[in-house]
Amino acid sequence: MNRPEIQVRGLHKSFGANEVLKGIDLEIGRGEVVCVIGPSGSGKSTLLRCVNLLEEPTKGQVFVGGTELTDPDVDIDAVRRRIGMVFQQFNLFPHLTVTENLTLPQRRVLKRDKAQAARVAAENLERVGLSEKATAYPASLSGGQQQRVAIARSLSMGPEVMLFDEPTSALDPELVGDVLAVMRMLANEGMTMMVVTHEMTFAREVADRVVFMDDGVIVEDGTPAQVIGSPRHERTRHFLSRLL
Ligand code: ADP
Ligand code: MG
């Protein structure tokens, strides 16, 4: 593997007495796409949220691009700018147009001027195929279009890695494909991606690696052919059999 872009070492996370992550070790190389699968409650979202410190690990280390996020002296806002995150819920500002949703964080966080922010917004709207929606309000868009706007908003910040937490789970089935197509394009462009998903076709076709989590541990980590095609562990087999 080339230099790891994301590195998680001995990660533990508890909420009160509930230990949700029980020692996670994971490396993701630059340009690698890793899909994280596993049952509800297994700790997938918590792991993702620890990778950009939306949750503070109880124990262990997280590195992104060689910087230790868990170092108490780190400038967490600066590191977080390098990490894009897309959630199941799109979290667009309803009172702002699509373009304004994309320019506001660039201006606030990156201090870009209006013209530059607008240029970057237009570029990224084009990448997700929504240039014609630039002046629309989120409520007038389909869920799939809103999620593509949310991805474009993330990309406008120029992230080095992208984290996706079940980005298509809230969508009507006929809208899932367009969002996955955008993610596939990003993967082909060499973006480092960590994707929590139940979309096994996407995982098979796009992921370099699939990680199966259960009960706060990584049970299997391998190529899609290994983990989905011929799982070694009973827990993985059981999980996959219930998806079919
Ligand atoms: P998954 O994404 O795999 O469904 P989560 O990471 O969301 O799993 O949750 C794993 C466990 O952690 C669950 O038992 C959940 O209730 C608990 N949990 C997650 N976030 C919090 C929180 N902020 N406070 C307390 N418990 C939490
Ligand atoms: Mg989750």
Side-chain angles (χ1 to χ4, degrees), residues 44-58:
K44 306 180 299 296
S45 293
T46 303
L47 171 60
L48 217 58
R49 293 167 63 81
C50 282
V51 170
N52 66 359
L53 239 61
L54 283 177
E55 297 289 356
E56 198 183 337
T58 309

Side-chain angles (χ1 to χ4, degrees), residues 134-146:
T135 57
Y137 284 87
S140 72
L141 305 181
S142 73
Q145 290 172 334
Q146 290 187 53

Side-chain angles (χ1 to χ4, degrees), residues 18-39:
N18 184 14
E19 190 176 37
V20 170
L21 298 178
K22 304 172 179 174
I24 300 282
D25 292 287
L26 183 64
E27 285 191 358
I28 300 179
R30 177 170 291 184
E32 226 184 350
V33 177
V34 173
C35 283
V36 180
I37 63 173

Side-chain angles (χ1 to χ4, degrees), residues 41 43-46 88 165-166 196:
K44 306 180 299 296
S45 293
T46 303
Q88 186 173 330
D165 194 355
E166 300 198 29
V196 175

Side-chain angles (χ1 to χ4, degrees), residues 1 14 23 25 57 63 86 109 111 135-136 145 166 173 198 224 232:
M1 190 194 298
S14 298
D25 292 287
F63 298 83
V86 174
V109 178
K111 311 294 178 205
T135 57
Q145 290 172 334
E166 300 198 29
H198 296 295
R232 281 181 292 137

Side-chain angles (χ1 to χ4, degrees), residues 37 212 214 219-220 226-228 231-242:
I37 63 173
F212 172 67
D214 194 13
V219 176
E220 280 194 67
Q226 285 164 352
V227 176
I228 302 175
R232 281 181 292 137
H233 293 265
E234 178 50 37
R235 282 199 274 178
T236 318
R237 282 195 286 271
H238 180 69
F239 171 74
L240 291 169
S241 72
R242 291 194 315 174

